[in-house]
Amino acid sequence: MADFKTHVTVAAALSAPLAASAFIMGFATTNEAIFYALAGTLGGLLPDIDADESIAIRIVFRLFGALIAGLMIASTMDQLLPWQVLGVATVGYLVVRFPVRWLFEKLTVHRGALHSVLANLFFVAVIVPIVYHLFELDAKTAWGIGAFVFLGATIHLILDEMYSIELSGMRIKRSFGTALKLTDWSEPLATLALVLGCVVGYWLSPDTSDWQLALSWIPEPVHLVEWLAQGMNGLQEFIQKTSARLLNA
């Protein structure tokens, strides 16, 4: 199994160039590209939140606690005195950091249902409505963040599987197959909860039409070969013209 540093480094190394590419191609603004890169890096941590002593679970619950505290401040600052607002926010943060985390640890098993492709879809179903409704980001940005979260979480699973193969001794470890799986079928209730969470999250999520419009330049499958051939012919002509100029220079 890959360690914390490897998960963060690889997720960031792959997410950042993709986010930059989205900016260069006009799919994202500078701020959106930054959001996407951060979302991909955070996604690289999420599958390990079911490990009781992992760094990932500490970071995620601290961030979640800060989010709850911030929401409490925003919702009560016009109704309570400043010291009361601070007290409510502090209580909210501590509740998430300790009782909620303790309950989460008791109900989850490392490399169980939360360490699966289905869980990655669940993370997206949670993240997209949150950034759309609570942070009031537009639908296109919300789905972009969700896509990068899924990317980062899937990179995490792939890394864990790669580290299950010891190339030096050509030996497959016992952990092989426990990371990159659809779900943990030995946990039917957890699997059902994830499926229901995905359904509810998708129902609460915004429409995907903005991204459909953004990607409208991609040809239909029946014309894809022709489109690729035209692109290759254009690239060949460019190379020939460039070569001719260099030879005549």
Side-chain angles (χ1 to χ4, degrees):
M1 181 172 63
D3 58 17
F4 173 81
K5 182 179 179 181
T6 301
H7 283 309
V8 173
T9 302
V10 175
L14 294 178
S15 299
L18 284 176
S21 299
F23 168 72
I24 293 172
M25 297 177 70
F27 292 151
T29 64
T30 304
N31 289 338
E32 289 170 349
I34 294 173
F35 287 150
Y36 295 162
L38 292 175
T41 304
L42 176 62
L45 300 178
L46 288 177
D48 270 350
I49 62 174
D50 59 2
D52 294 351
E53 299 302 325
S54 71
I55 300 177
I57 192 172
R58 294 199 295 270
I59 292 177
V60 169
F61 272 89
R62 284 171 183 169
L63 292 175
F64 186 55
L67 172 61
I68 295 300
L71 292 174
M72 286 186 168
I73 291 174
S75 61
T76 61
M77 61 185 307
D78 294 331
Q79 306 170 19
L80 302 175
L81 296 174
W83 69 269
Q84 294 174 326
V85 172
L86 180 60
V88 169
T90 302
V91 170
Y93 175 81
L94 293 176
V95 167
V96 171
R97 280 281 284 111
F98 297 104
V100 173
R101 176 183 166 181
W102 177 83
L103 181 62
F104 182 86
E105 292 173 350
K106 292 298 181 183
L107 295 177
T108 58
V109 178
H110 187 42
R111 288 213 171 186
L114 281 179
H115 213 280
S116 66
V117 176
L118 177 60
N120 293 356
L121 294 174
F122 172 75
F123 296 145
V124 175
V126 172
I127 292 294
V128 172
I130 286 178
V131 298
Y132 179 72
H133 293 290
L134 296 183
F135 293 97
E136 299 182 347
L137 299 180
D138 59 76
K140 178 170 164 290
T141 304
W143 279 111
I145 290 174
F148 271 83
V149 166
F150 181 83
L151 171 68
T154 303
I155 290 172
H156 181 113
L157 301 186
I158 293 173
L159 281 173
D160 277 349
E161 290 295 356
M162 292 174 62
Y163 272 71
S164 296
I165 302 175
E166 191 175 298
L167 296 178
S168 59
M170 294 303 294
R171 183 175 65 90
I172 297 179
K173 301 178 182 178
R174 291 170 55 185
S175 60
F176 182 77
T178 61
L180 189 59
K181 56 184 181 294
L182 180 59
T183 187
D184 190 341
W185 300 109
S186 65
E187 297 184 51
L189 292 179
T191 298
L192 179 60
L194 289 176
V195 171
L196 292 177
C198 289
V199 172
V200 173
Y202 183 77
W203 178 68
L204 293 173
S205 297
D207 189 71
T208 60
S209 58
D210 288 345
W211 268 110
Q212 292 171 2
L213 292 173
L215 299 175
S216 60
W217 58 273
I218 297 179
E220 298 179 2
V222 292
H223 303 301
L224 184 59
V225 175
E226 180 183 353
W227 181 72
L228 290 174
Q230 292 176 352
M232 292 300 295
N233 290 335
L235 178 61
Q236 185 177 5
E237 291 178 3
F238 173 77
I239 293 175
Q240 290 175 347
K241 290 179 180 179
T242 303
S243 299
R245 291 174 182 174
L246 293 175
L247 290 175
N248 296 328

